[in-house]
C-alpha cells in the first residue's frame, strides 16, 4: 500500500463549512489572511441548514439576530426565517466574500493528529494528508443525528429515517406515519405531515414547554427601509438581542421571571387545548427551561386533528410493520421518522482528533467536554473549537456565541503570527479554573435543578457541558479577547512563510488580543 501523499503545510485549516466555518473564513479574508482552507465533508456548505430540509424547518431565533452582525441581511422575508432562506443566506455569503477558492467540498476528514516533531496538524482524508500549523474544528454540535437504542430498528419494512436526513422522495400522502420524538424538529414537522398523511402518531417521551411563535412577514417597505438605512437593522438587532437576554433570568431560577415564563407557556397550552386528557399529556413535569423551550402556534392544534394521535411513552422496540411503546401500546405504521435529536454532549469528531502524546480528544473529554474560554483544550496545541463545550445558549442566538469565538480565534492567529509562530498550548491550571467557574455558575440554574434529563448535560457525569450558564453578553465580555498570558509557547520560533499569512501582511488594526490575565 502506497503512503499517503503529503502536502506542504498551510497556515490554517478549518473543518466544517456551517455558520462557524463560513463566518471565520469571512473574517480571515477581511483581515487580509489568505493561506487557509475550509474542509467540508458534504458537497455543499451550510451545515445544519443544508442537512435539515424536512417540511416546516425554520429557525426559532429572529432572523435579524440569527445572521452575522458583520453581514446583515436586509432581505429577510420573515421574522423567523425558513431553513431554505438561511441556507441561501450562507451560500450567498460564500460567493460574495470570495470563499470559493478556500473551500474543499466532499472531503471527509478522518483524522486530525498533532505532529509533535514538526509542530503542526496532520489532517487525513482518504489517501491524502493535509498539513496546517493551526486547526479550527467547526463541525457543529448538531451534525450527527441521534437514534434511540432499541431493538428491531433494522427489521422495519417501510421508509425509516431521521428528520435531519429527510428523504426527498418520501411522500406522506395516504400513509400512516409515526414520528418518534416531541422536540423542536417534531413540533415543526408534525403540523405539515398532518395535512396530507392518512394518520400521524407522535411518540412523546416527555412533554415540551411551548410558547407562541407569533411569526410574521417583512413587507416590501420594511425591507426597502433596511436596505436604505443599515443603522435600522443594527438597532433592530440590538433590541432583539437584549429582548432575548431577558430570557436568562428564568433559567437562573429568578422566581418572578420564572413564574411569568411558566404562565406564558402553560397559558398558551390551556388556550389551545381544552380536552382534559390531552391537556394532562401535554403538561410538562419539570421546570421551564430545563429542556429547550419551543415555539409554535400550530403544533397543539395539529395534535387535536382526527388523524393525529399522541402516545405519551418512549419507544421500546420496532417490529416489521409497527412500533411498540414502553407502555405496551403497539402502533402499526407505514413509515417512521426519528425526530430524536443529535449527539450533542459526545461530539463524534472528538474520536478523530489526537493531541500531544496521541491522546484522543474523546479521551480528554471522557468525563465531559471542557475547554478554556469554551474554545481551547490543554494538550491540543494550536487548535480551536467553535460550538464546543459550554458555547451554546438556551435563550439567545447561537450566532452571537460563534462570533465571540471567531473574535477570540482571530486574536490568537494575530498573536501567533506576530510572535514567532510557535505553537500555543493553553495551561492546564487555567482550563481547570475556567471549568470550575462554569460548574459553579451552573449550580443554581434550571439545567441542574429543573428536574429533567436534557441534552445539555453530560450523560455520564451530569455536568453542564453544552450550555453557557449565563447571559450571552457575559460570554462575549469574558471570551471575546485572546489572552496570551494563559498559554505556554512551545519550542523555538518558526520562520514565517512568505505570502498572505505572514505576520507582516495582517494589519494590527482591530486586533482582539489582550495581555491581561
Amino acid at each position: 500500500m502506497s503512503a499517503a501523499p503529503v502536502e506542504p503545510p498551510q497556515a490554517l485549516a478549518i473543518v466544517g463549512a456551517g455558520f462557524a466555518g463560513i463566518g471565520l473564513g469571512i473574517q480571515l479574508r477581511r483581515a487580509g489572511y489568505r493561506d487557509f482552507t475550509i474542509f467540508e465533508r458534504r458537497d455543499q456548505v451550510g451545515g445544519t441548514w443544508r442537512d435539515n430540509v424536512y417540511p416546516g424547518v425554520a429557525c426559532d431565533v429572529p432572523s435579524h439576530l440569527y445572521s452575522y452582525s458583520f453581514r446583515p441581511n436586509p432581505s429577510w422575508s420573515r421574522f423567523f426565517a425558513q431553513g431554505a432562506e438561511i441556507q441561501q443566506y450562507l451560500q450567498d455569503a460564500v460567493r460574495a466574500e470570495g470563499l470559493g477558492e478556500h473551500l474543499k467540498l466532499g472531503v471527509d476528514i478522518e483524522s486530525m493528529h498533532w505532529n509533535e516533531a514538526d509542530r503542526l496538524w496532520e489532517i487525513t482524508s482518504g489517501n491524502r494528508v493535509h498539513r496546517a500549523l493551526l486547526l479550527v474544528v467547526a463541525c457543529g454540535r448538531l451534525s450527527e443525528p441521534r437514534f434511540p437504542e432499541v431493538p428491531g430498528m433494522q427489521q422495519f419494512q417501510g421508509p425509516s429515517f431521521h428528520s435531519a436526513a429527510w428523504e426527498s422522495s418520501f411522500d406522506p400522502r395516504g400513509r400512516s406515519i409515526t414520528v418518534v420524538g416531541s422536540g423542536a424538529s417534531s413540533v415543526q414537522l408534525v403540523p405539515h405531515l398532518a395535512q396530507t398523511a392518512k394518520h400521524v402518531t407522535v411518540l412523546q417521551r416527555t412533554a415540551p414547554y411551548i410558547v407562541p411563535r407569533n411569526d410574521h412577514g417583512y413587507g416590501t417597505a420594511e425591507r426597502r427601509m433596511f436596505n436604505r438605512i443599515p443603522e435600522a437593522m443594527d438597532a433592530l438587532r440590538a433590541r432583539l438581542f437584549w429582548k432575548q437576554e431577558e430570557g436568562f433570568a428564568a433559567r437562573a431560577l429568578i422566581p418572578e421571571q420564572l413564574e411569568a415564563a411558566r404562565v406564558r407557556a402553560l397559558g398558551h397550552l390551556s388556550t389551545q387545548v381544552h380536552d382534559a386528557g390531552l391537556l394532562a399529556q401535554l403538561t410538562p413535569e419539570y421546570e421551564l427551561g430545563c429542556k429547550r423551550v419551543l415555539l409554535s402556534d400550530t403544533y397543539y392544534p395539529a395534535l387535536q386533528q382526527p388523524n393525529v394521535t399522541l402516545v405519551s411513552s418512549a419507544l421500546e422496540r420496532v417490529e416489521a410493520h409497527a412500533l411498540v411503546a414502553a407502555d405496551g401500546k403497539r402502533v402499526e405504521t407505514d413509515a417512521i421518522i426519528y425526530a430524536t435529536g443529535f449527539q450533542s454532549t459526545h461530539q463524534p469528531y472528538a474520536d478523530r482528533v489526537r493531541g500531544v502524546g496521541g491522546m484522543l480528544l474523546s479521551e480528554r473529554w471522557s468525563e465531559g467536554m471542557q475547554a478554556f474560554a469554551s474554545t481551547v483544550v490543554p494538550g491540543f496545541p494550536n487548535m480551536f473549537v467553535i460550538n464546543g463545550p459550554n458555547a451554546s445558549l438556551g435563550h439567545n442566538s447561537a450566532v452571537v456565541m460563534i462570533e465571540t469565538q471567531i473574535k477570540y480565534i482571530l486574536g490568537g492567529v494575530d498573536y501567533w503570527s506576530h510572535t514567532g509562530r510557535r505553537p500555543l498550548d493553553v495551561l492546564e491550571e487555567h482550563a481547570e479554573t475556567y471549568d470550575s467557574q462554569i460548574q459553579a455558575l451552573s449550580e443554581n440554574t434550571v439545567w441542574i435543578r429543573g428536574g429533567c434529563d436534557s441534552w445539555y448535560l453530560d450523560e455520564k457525569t451530569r455536568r453542564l457541558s453544552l450550555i453557557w450558564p449565563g447571559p450571552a453578553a457575559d460570554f462575549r465580555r469574558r471570551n471575546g479577547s485572546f489572552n496570551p498570558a494563559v498559554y505556554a509557547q512551545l519550542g523555538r520560533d518558526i520562520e514565517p512563510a512568505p505570502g498572505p499569512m505572514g505576520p507582516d501582511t495582517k494589519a494590527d488594526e482591530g486586533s482582539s488580543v489582550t495581555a491581561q490575565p
Side-chain angles (χ1 to χ4, degrees), residues 201-212:
T201 301
V202 180
L203 262 64
Q204 170 190 274
R205 187 175 57 180
T206 54
Y209 281 96
I210 301 176
V211 297

Side-chain angles (χ1 to χ4, degrees), residues 324-396:
V324 180
D327 65 359
K329 183 176 180 60
R330 187 174 183 273
V331 180
E332 293 191 1
T333 191
D334 301 323
I336 304 172
I337 299 170
Y338 294 98
T340 45
F342 300 86
Q343 298 183 41
S344 57
T345 57
H346 293 275
Q347 297 289 336
Y349 63 76
D351 289 323
R352 303 186 180 195
V353 181
R354 290 188 180 273
V356 173
M359 173 175 277
L360 279 170
L361 184 57
S362 57
E363 293 174 3
R364 170 79 195 191
W365 285 349
S366 61
E367 298 297 317
M369 297 191 300
Q370 302 176 41
F372 176 78
S374 299
T375 306
V376 289
V377 183
F380 294 81
N382 280 10
M383 185 188 80
F384 304 89
V385 180
I386 305 181
N387 254 333
N390 301 112
S392 301
L393 290 172
H395 69 284
N396 212 324

Side-chain angles (χ1 to χ4, degrees), residues 43 52 58 246 375 377 389 402 414 464 466 497 500:
D43 59 1
N52 286 268
E246 292 175 4
T375 306
V377 183
I402 288 170
D414 185 57
L464 188 67
L466 199 71

Side-chain angles (χ1 to χ4, degrees), residues 144-431:
E144 297 293 335
R146 182 176 185 173
F147 289 88
E149 296 180 0
V150 297
M153 289 176 59
Q154 302 305 317
Q155 300 175 15
F156 187 70
Q157 297 298 302
S160 171
F161 52 88
H162 196 280
S163 59
W166 189 264
E167 294 185 2
S168 59
S169 61
F170 178 72
D171 187 350
R173 290 178 294 183
R175 295 181 187 262
S176 292
I177 302 168
T178 300
V179 178
V180 180
S182 57
S185 298
S186 178
V187 164
Q188 293 182 343
L189 174 61
V190 167
H192 287 266
L193 293 177
Q195 294 174 11
T196 58
K198 178 182 177 182
H199 195 89
V200 178
T201 301
V202 180
L203 262 64
Q204 170 190 274
R205 187 175 57 180
T206 54
Y209 281 96
I210 301 176
V211 297
R213 188 170 182 82
N214 295 331
D215 191 18
H216 61 83
Y218 285 114
T220 302
E222 286 177 289
R223 288 178 294 191
R224 187 181 297 123
M225 183 266 292
F226 287 141
N227 194 56
R228 286 201 320 264
I229 311 172
E231 295 81 7
M233 276 192 297
D234 296 339
L236 174 60
R237 183 184 180 93
R239 289 197 302 274
L240 292 171
F241 173 80
W242 290 111
K243 181 64 177 176
Q244 296 290 113
E245 285 286 78
E246 292 175 4
F248 179 74
R251 276 72 174 181
L253 301 176
I254 306 301
E256 183 178 346
Q257 284 80 1
L258 179 59
E259 177 62 18
R262 191 190 300 118
V263 166
R264 182 178 182 229
L266 296 179
H268 182 53
L269 171 60
S270 62
T271 298
Q272 291 200 321
V273 178
H274 303 292
D275 178 84
L278 185 59
L279 192 65
Q281 285 181 285
L282 292 170
T283 301
E285 297 179 349
Y286 55 89
E287 190 55 88
L288 180 139
C290 187
K291 289 176 177 281
R292 183 174 174 182
V293 177
L294 309 181
L295 287 74
S296 179
D297 299 319
T298 58
Y299 181 67
Y300 290 148
L303 292 179
Q304 298 170 84
Q305 292 181 208
N307 67 328
V308 179
T309 301
L310 178 66
V311 176
S312 296
S313 181
L315 177 63
E316 184 170 271
R317 70 178 186 274
V318 180
E319 299 176 352
H321 300 285
L323 294 86
V324 180
D327 65 359
K329 183 176 180 60
R330 187 174 183 273
V331 180
E332 293 191 1
T333 191
D334 301 323
I336 304 172
I337 299 170
Y338 294 98
T340 45
F342 300 86
Q343 298 183 41
S344 57
T345 57
H346 293 275
Q347 297 289 336
Y349 63 76
D351 289 323
R352 303 186 180 195
V353 181
R354 290 188 180 273
V356 173
M359 173 175 277
L360 279 170
L361 184 57
S362 57
E363 293 174 3
R364 170 79 195 191
W365 285 349
S366 61
E367 298 297 317
M369 297 191 300
Q370 302 176 41
F372 176 78
S374 299
T375 306
V376 289
V377 183
F380 294 81
N382 280 10
M383 185 188 80
F384 304 89
V385 180
I386 305 181
N387 254 333
N390 301 112
S392 301
L393 290 172
H395 69 284
N396 212 324
S397 173
V399 181
V400 172
M401 307 293 274
I402 288 170
E403 289 192 11
T404 298
Q405 292 187 281
I406 287 173
K407 187 177 179 184
Y408 184 94
I409 293 168
L410 290 174
V413 172
D414 185 57
Y415 180 81
W416 171 84
S417 295
H418 287 80
T419 56
R421 294 158 64 98
R422 286 184 293 160
L424 293 164
D425 194 5
V426 68
L427 295 167
E428 185 77 51
E429 62 194 82
H430 294 288

Side-chain angles (χ1 to χ4, degrees), residues 34 68 233 380 438 478:
R34 296 293 183 271
Y68 301 123
M233 276 192 297
F380 294 81
I438 291 287
R478 175 164 185 166

